[in-house]
Amino acid sequence: MSRSFRKQTLTMVNLLEKANRTLKLSLGTKHIDEEGIIQLLSDCQETAITLGNELEMLYGEGTDCVHALEEYCESLYQLTQTLKNPVKHREILKELTRQVKQARKLIGSLVPDRLEIVFLPYKAAMWDSLESVWMAAKEDEACDVYVVPIPYYDRNPDGTFSSYHYEGENFPEYVPVTHYENYDIQKRWPDAVYIHNPYDQYNYVTSVDPRFYSYELKKRTEKLIYIPYYSTSGGMSEAQATCSAYYQADYIIIQAEKYRKFFDPDLPAETLLPFGSPKFDRVIRICNNPPEPPEEWKEKLNRKKVYFYNTSLNGMLGDTRAFLKKMEYVFSCFRDRTDACLLWRPHPLFESSLDSMRADFRPAYDLLKNYFIKYDLGIYDKTPDITNTIAQCDAYIGDSATSITSLFGIAGKPLFILDNNIHSIPEDTDWKGQIIPGFTITGDDAWMITQGNKLYFSPADDYQYRYFCDLSDYASGFYYSQVITIGERHYACPANARDIVVISDGKIEKRVELELCIEQVGAFAGAIGCGKYLFLIPNNYPAIVRYDTESDEVRYFGSHLDIFIQMVNGEKKIGGSWISGEYLYLASPSDNQILLIHTETGEKQVISVGTSHSCGYAGIIPNATDLWLLPYHGSIITRWNPSNGEVREYTDFPDNLVCNHIIHGYECMEVPFGIPAFCGDYVYFPPQWANMFIRLNQVTGEMTEWKPPFELPEKPLNGYYPSLAKAYFLPLSGEHDEDEYHLFSVFDRKLYLINMKTEAYTEIPIEFDLHELTDNEPGFRENSEWLQYACEENAFNTLPDFLDGTITGHAFDKAEQIRAFEKIAANNDGTCGEKTHQYVCRHI
């Protein structure tokens, strides 16, 4: 029984003792207030009956304590009958005092001074997030401990409950389980309740029984503790920042001190306890002493390396079609191997999420699943305990954005991160798709930042690149996006990094550190140079950053960001930006508002473009005195003169113009066009998601389809060529004719020089030294802040390469990996559970 209940019962006994003293004083006066005394006696009787009922519900009828309270109630009644008899009521008062003392003594014996702690898991597969705390609690002789698995429901697409689930029978045999119908939290009032589901009613795939939502639990416990059901290899999604249960919990266990910044800053600091993760405790313990595998696995595991294949929710929901093709590719890579065993373990919510959010793809998934099982391609793992499975495996393959990577990382087992777009062995030149990310309208083409945060330079500015330096110690993470040249210096601009790398005289001169405001990925969306200033355009970073390249001053402009960074139809979008005259223009992605920042003073103003529509602007492109505003949604192109406010809208598109979402493939009218080219009266708009180039006569407004004089692919060559656009123009400077532009074909990474008037063109080779590329391939290295140590699948390191042990770059080093993962886990010696239990008990 809980210490909280003991405290409540003794508090009620204290009230009865106080009432006895009051009765003694009241009955000792010359003029007795009979009405007041009778009311007091009635209150005493009600308190005693309530206390007795509480004790009977928990300990059953007939206890000595309840008998003592019944005798007490009888004495109260007798007192009401003898108020006018001083001799008699003094005798009864003595009896009441004795009975209350007896009740206190019996309650002290019946309700021991112990803590009651209850764990409320809902999925057996997530029990590892609580287990080491439970182990510490059950070894504590001062605690009574219960594990009470709670039921949950799948949700229909409309949010209503569908299938009921209860997994109490799936917990490890050594865990004593109490059925939720046999543990009434309303009656027992436990001292501490541990949960691992933070969503309450806000999970759109599943829901625990509403009786166990956090705000209901908090009504009946002194301490509510949330422990994340996941662990992380470095980052956390924005969706985990403000979950419902956080605002009810007394404590939230976080992996390390660095993770405070991932949570809502309004949460009290003392709520967040950086103790590590019980999941790590468990995986360390079990991998050090692996259990016997299931009997049906033994033959498949025999003398083979075992590869854990994780199919995660994030990967599936990101691009479901590509994800399923990836599954097929992975199965094919293992099909005929006799030295490797593929152990496939889908996320516990994979199929319910597929049904709820990607139902059209369920038949294709079922075909793959049935194929895997029918042809016995490996082990299909349905066991509830992922840690026991990890102990049987030698390596991990799968997505990076999943907590399972951290478990393998802490255990010192290699992580090979799959690219879900790659579905084939690479051809000879497929490395170009990842090495050549493309060009930017604001950047310096003489520099190129490739995968692995490698900086390459073209000394003759002829697109023949040679290795220059590493921009980061991390082997991945897309830390920098482009190089902008201002004066004699070159500035590598951050994407996920929080510094600017200054390059001068053939070397890195310094790093300009920015305020560390976020820990998440996606700090910046782009950069623009203007005179002596470099502006960084934020994505998740909470300010526009202006860096003065002469004085080294850094200024932050944090207000009005919601003008150009918005959630539109559930998707985060960032409007176009450009510098024209004295102002930085930042456009809304959803309407006709524009944020103006004076480049020198920093003064801000919000204006509206006088258009007849409000479709948002994905791009701002200058030409002479005009700014051309490319639509985020719809097919209205706007030409705007900011100095006089003149606006012209162009809408006469060919009837067969359509857009298709470049990832999911459905028809839409999102981001139709990329950076255009200008030639005389004509403007040429390349397709971003549209199905054609458009030539616009800006005088007459006539729009026609334009076809380049060379073939462009209609889709990426293969999965080695990730693409969010089809093609775009880049203006040229220097000795080029004003009608000449570069056209970059994203789908095959080819660059053309084209005269828009004559349509004469030449292809410009983009070349790298292949030996330099392979020499600089990281292999197994510290990956990023969000994935400590891994090797990523690409054209130089394929899945078959990993299976064959022929990795290009650094070979796997277990000690290096464990050291790297120490950065993201407190108490990674396996003591998180013990320290959590001790802390909570001290504070009850």
Side-chain angles (χ1 to χ4, degrees):
M1 181 47 57
S2 73
R3 184 176 292 169
S4 296
F5 181 75
R6 177 185 171 90
K7 182 178 179 182
Q8 289 173 52
T9 57
L10 294 178
T11 299
M12 295 171 83
V13 172
N14 290 340
L15 291 174
L16 297 179
E17 289 179 333
K18 184 178 179 181
N20 282 352
R21 292 192 294 271
T22 302
L23 285 168
K24 184 176 182 181
L25 292 172
S26 299
L27 290 170
T29 61
K30 183 178 292 187
H31 300 291
I32 297 173
D33 177 10
E34 289 190 22
E35 186 177 342
I37 289 174
I38 288 174
Q39 180 61 53
L40 180 57
L41 292 172
S42 176
D43 291 342
C44 289
Q45 185 176 47
E46 184 177 341
T47 299
I49 290 172
T50 299
L51 178 55
N53 288 339
E54 291 283 342
L55 293 169
E56 280 191 340
M57 281 192 298
L58 291 168
Y59 295 103
E61 298 180 0
T63 63
D64 290 343
C65 187
V66 172
H67 283 315
L69 291 169
E70 289 171 346
E71 291 173 359
Y72 172 78
C73 289
E74 177 61 26
S75 296
L76 291 173
Y77 172 74
Q78 294 297 328
L79 187 59
T80 64
Q81 305 300 308
T82 59
L83 291 180
K84 298 185 185 300
N85 185 339
V87 175
K88 194 68 175 174
H89 69 227
R90 279 196 292 270
E91 292 177 1
I92 295 174
L93 277 174
K94 289 181 181 178
E95 188 65 17
L96 287 173
T97 301
R98 183 193 66 77
Q99 288 165 343
V100 170
K101 286 183 178 179
Q102 178 70 4
R104 176 184 290 281
K105 180 180 178 181
L106 292 171
I107 287 173
S109 300
L110 182 67
V111 188
D113 186 12
R114 298 169 60 78
L115 294 180
E116 181 160 317
I117 300 174
V118 61
F119 294 83
L120 300 180
Y122 78 112
K123 287 194 72 66
M126 297 175 181
W127 168 242
D128 60 346
S129 64
L130 301 175
E131 185 179 83
S132 67
V133 186
W134 167 76
M135 284 183 162
K138 76 180 179 64
E139 294 301 319
D140 189 337
E141 294 183 355
C143 297
D144 295 319
V145 183
Y146 297 86
V147 177
V148 183
I150 58 178
Y152 68 97
Y153 300 87
D154 294 331
R155 284 191 187 271
N156 296 311
D158 65 357
T160 57
F161 289 177
S162 57
S163 303
Y164 160 92
H165 300 278
Y166 172 73
E167 299 191 2
E169 66 279 2
N170 294 332
F171 281 70
E173 290 182 0
Y174 55 82
V175 179
V177 164
T178 301
H179 195 277
Y180 65 92
E181 295 291 2
N182 296 329
Y183 186 93
D184 191 338
I185 199 167
Q186 300 291 324
K187 298 176 181 178
R188 300 191 67 91
W189 202 293
D191 297 287
V193 173
Y194 286 88
I195 59 174
H196 64 189
N197 184 314
Y199 303 114
D200 295 337
Q201 68 267 41
Y202 301 107
N203 187 333
Y204 302 116
V205 178
T206 60
S207 172
V208 299
D209 188 302
R211 290 176 291 174
F212 301 99
Y213 287 165
S214 63
Y215 47 82
E216 296 294 341
L217 297 174
K218 184 53 188 166
K219 296 174 185 176
R220 294 293 174 176
T221 186
E222 184 173 344
K223 298 295 183 185
L224 179 64
I225 306 101
Y226 166 67
I227 302 182
Y229 61 88
Y230 59 86
S231 55
T232 173
S233 295
M236 274 175 55
S237 72
E238 291 180 358
Q240 296 295 332
T242 57
C243 294
S244 174
Y246 300 170
Y247 304 96
Q248 307 297 326
D250 295 284
Y251 303 121
I252 300 169
I253 308 304
I254 61 176
Q255 255 185 229
E257 187 67 33
K258 66 173 283 186
Y259 292 102
R260 286 186 184 275
K261 294 183 179 180
F262 285 93
F263 290 84
D264 184 348
D266 291 336
L267 289 169
E270 61 271 17
T271 300
L272 303 173
L273 304 180
F275 288 167
S277 172
K279 294 172 75 72
F280 294 158
D281 293 351
R282 191 166 197 273
V283 79
I284 291 168
R285 175 173 61 83
I286 292 180
C287 285
N288 286 339
N289 187 23
E292 277 289 307
E295 195 63 37
E296 64 270 23
W297 290 11
K298 289 183 178 179
E299 183 178 346
K300 295 176 182 178
L301 297 176
N302 188 30
R303 290 194 293 274
K304 295 179 182 177
K305 288 195 69 173
V306 183
Y307 296 83
F308 182 108
Y309 178 36
N310 174 42
T311 47
S312 72
L313 296 186
N314 284 336
M316 181 272 288
L317 294 174
D319 184 345
T320 309
R321 182 175 286 102
F323 189 85
L324 295 178
K325 288 185 69 176
K326 184 67 181 187
M327 287 176 59
E328 184 178 3
Y329 171 68
V330 170
F331 293 167
S332 71
C333 289
F334 280 86
R335 184 182 297 121
D336 298 320
R337 299 194 71 105
T338 58
D339 60 339
C341 172
L342 179 64
L343 186 148
W344 174 32
R345 184 185 179 91
H347 187 282
L349 300 177
F350 191 94
E351 293 185 4
S352 56
S353 298
L354 195 66
D355 290 339
S356 176
M357 305 173 74
R358 297 289 188 272
D360 290 349
F361 290 96
R362 182 60 192 259
Y365 169 80
D366 287 340
L367 283 174
L368 283 167
K369 177 180 174 180
N370 293 336
Y371 175 77
F372 181 89
I373 295 171
K374 179 179 178 180
Y375 290 97
D376 202 22
L377 299 182
I379 295 170
Y380 179 70
D381 181 19
K382 298 183 292 183
T383 61
D385 192 338
I386 191 173
T387 313
N388 286 344
T389 296
I390 291 172
Q392 305 297 335
C393 295
D394 298 293
Y396 170 93
I397 60 172
D399 299 324
S400 61
T402 168
S403 62
I404 298 175
T405 57
S406 63
L407 302 179
F408 274 87
I410 288 289
K413 300 187 179 192
L415 298 155
F416 187 76
I417 305 304
L418 299 179
D419 182 333
N420 288 323
N421 292 305
I422 293 176
H423 311 132
S424 61
I425 301 298
E427 301 292 336
D428 289 344
T429 59
D430 280 342
W431 56 265
K432 292 184 177 181
Q434 293 162 316
I435 292 295
I436 304 171
F439 304 93
T440 66
I441 192 171
T442 57
D444 184 344
D445 292 354
W447 302 86
M448 185 170 289
I449 301 170
T450 71
Q451 66 180 22
N453 302 306
K454 310 288 184 181
L455 180 62
Y456 284 76
F457 179 56
S458 175
D461 200 9
D462 59 356
Y463 301 93
Q464 314 296 299
Y465 293 98
R466 299 302 303 269
Y467 173 77
F468 186 83
C469 71
D470 283 13
L471 291 172
S472 170
D473 292 334
Y474 289 114
S476 187
F478 188 54
Y479 274 74
Y480 302 90
S481 59
Q482 61 181 312
V483 173
I484 293 177
T485 297
I486 299 176
E488 298 298 317
R489 288 182 171 83
H490 315 282
Y491 301 87
C493 302
N496 286 325
R498 271 83 73 190
D499 63 9
I500 302 166
V501 181
V502 183
I503 299 162
S504 179
D505 296 326
K507 64 181 185 300
I508 293 178
E509 177 184 305
K510 60 184 176 181
R511 294 176 183 268
V512 180
E513 301 289 339
L514 307 178
E515 291 180 3
L516 185 59
C517 302
I518 63 167
E519 296 281 354
Q520 296 167 322
V521 297
F524 297 99
I528 307 175
C530 175
K532 66 176 182 176
Y533 294 122
L534 179 66
F535 285 88
L536 304 181
I537 310 303
N539 176 22
N540 288 323
Y541 200 80
I544 299 160
V545 179
R546 190 190 74 179
Y547 171 56
D548 186 327
T549 61
E550 295 179 359
S551 69
D552 268 352
E553 178 196 33
V554 179
R555 283 191 65 184
Y556 301 88
F557 305 106
S559 61
H560 301 300
L561 301 186
D562 57 346
I563 297 295
F564 68 97
I565 304 175
Q566 297 180 17
M567 292 297 293
V568 181
N569 297 325
E571 185 177 348
K572 187 174 186 178
K573 295 184 177 181
I574 301 175
S577 56
W578 193 256
I579 289 176
S580 180
E582 298 177 325
Y583 288 94
L584 169 62
Y585 291 73
L586 297 150
S588 166
S590 64
D591 54 38
N592 61 354
Q593 290 192 97
I594 292 185
L595 172 64
L596 269 62
I597 300 180
H598 194 280
T599 56
E600 188 64 41
T601 67
E603 180 184 352
K604 304 182 192 70
Q605 58 180 306
V606 179
I607 64 172
S608 295
V609 181
T611 58
S612 63
H613 65 277
S614 56
C615 58
Y617 304 122
I620 303 177
I621 308 298
N623 183 49
T625 60
D626 295 327
L627 294 178
W628 289 75
L629 308 177
L630 306 181
Y632 227 120
H633 177 80
S635 53
I636 300 175
I637 293 172
T638 304
R639 177 176 144 195
W640 174 47
N641 187 321
S643 60
N644 61 22
E646 182 181 338
V647 169
R648 182 167 181 184
E649 299 174 341
Y650 299 94
T651 61
D652 189 22
F653 289 91
D655 292 339
N656 56 339
L657 175 74
V658 295
C659 295
N660 292 97
H661 194 287
I662 204 160
I663 294 176
H664 300 299
Y666 59 81
E667 188 173 311
C668 60
M669 278 309 296
E670 299 288 316
V671 287
F673 306 115
I675 303 167
F678 300 89
C679 180
D681 290 340
Y682 291 97
V683 189
Y684 297 80
F685 293 93
Q688 185 157 335
W689 290 6
N691 61 338
M692 66 178 71
F693 286 79
I694 295 295
R695 184 171 76 165
L696 163 67
N697 186 319
Q698 57 184 306
V699 177
T700 67
E702 179 188 18
M703 289 178 163
T704 57
E705 180 179 0
W706 178 76
K707 294 191 176 182
F710 43 83
E711 286 289 324
L712 294 177
E714 295 183 357
K715 60 181 181 179
L717 295 187
N718 54 49
Y720 293 94
Y721 292 78
S723 304
L724 293 177
K726 297 180 179 180
Y728 51 85
F729 290 102
L730 294 164
L732 301 174
S733 58
E735 300 178 358
H736 291 281
D737 187 288
E738 65 176 1
D739 295 326
E740 289 185 321
Y741 279 81
H742 278 153
L743 173 62
F744 185 66
S745 172
V746 183
F747 285 169
D748 57 2
R749 303 300 199 266
K750 289 187 176 181
L751 183 68
Y752 298 91
L753 175 65
I754 180 171
N755 187 303
M756 301 306 298
K757 181 178 291 185
T758 65
E759 296 193 357
Y761 71 91
T762 56
E763 182 183 346
I764 300 172
I766 304 172
E767 295 186 357
F768 287 79
D769 185 315
L770 194 56
H771 293 295
E772 274 190 344
L773 293 177
T774 54
D775 287 345
N776 284 303
E777 178 61 27
F780 280 96
R781 287 277 305 279
E782 289 195 50
N783 186 275
S784 68
E785 295 165 68
W786 305 282
L787 178 62
Q788 302 307 303
Y789 187 95
C791 178
E792 294 186 329
E793 179 185 25
N794 56 40
F796 297 107
N797 281 312
T798 66
L799 178 55
D801 290 333
F802 179 52
L803 301 182
D804 292 338
T806 56
I807 288 293
T808 300
H810 292 262
F812 172 70
D813 187 308
K814 180 177 180 178
E816 281 187 13
Q817 175 167 302
I818 291 175
R819 280 196 298 272
F821 273 85
E822 287 176 356
K823 299 175 184 177
I824 52 92
N827 298 316
N828 67 339
D829 56 352
T831 59
C832 169
E834 178 183 342
K835 290 176 180 175
T836 297
H837 171 68
Q838 292 171 353
Y839 183 91
V840 170
C841 289
R842 284 199 305 271
H843 289 81
I844 292 177

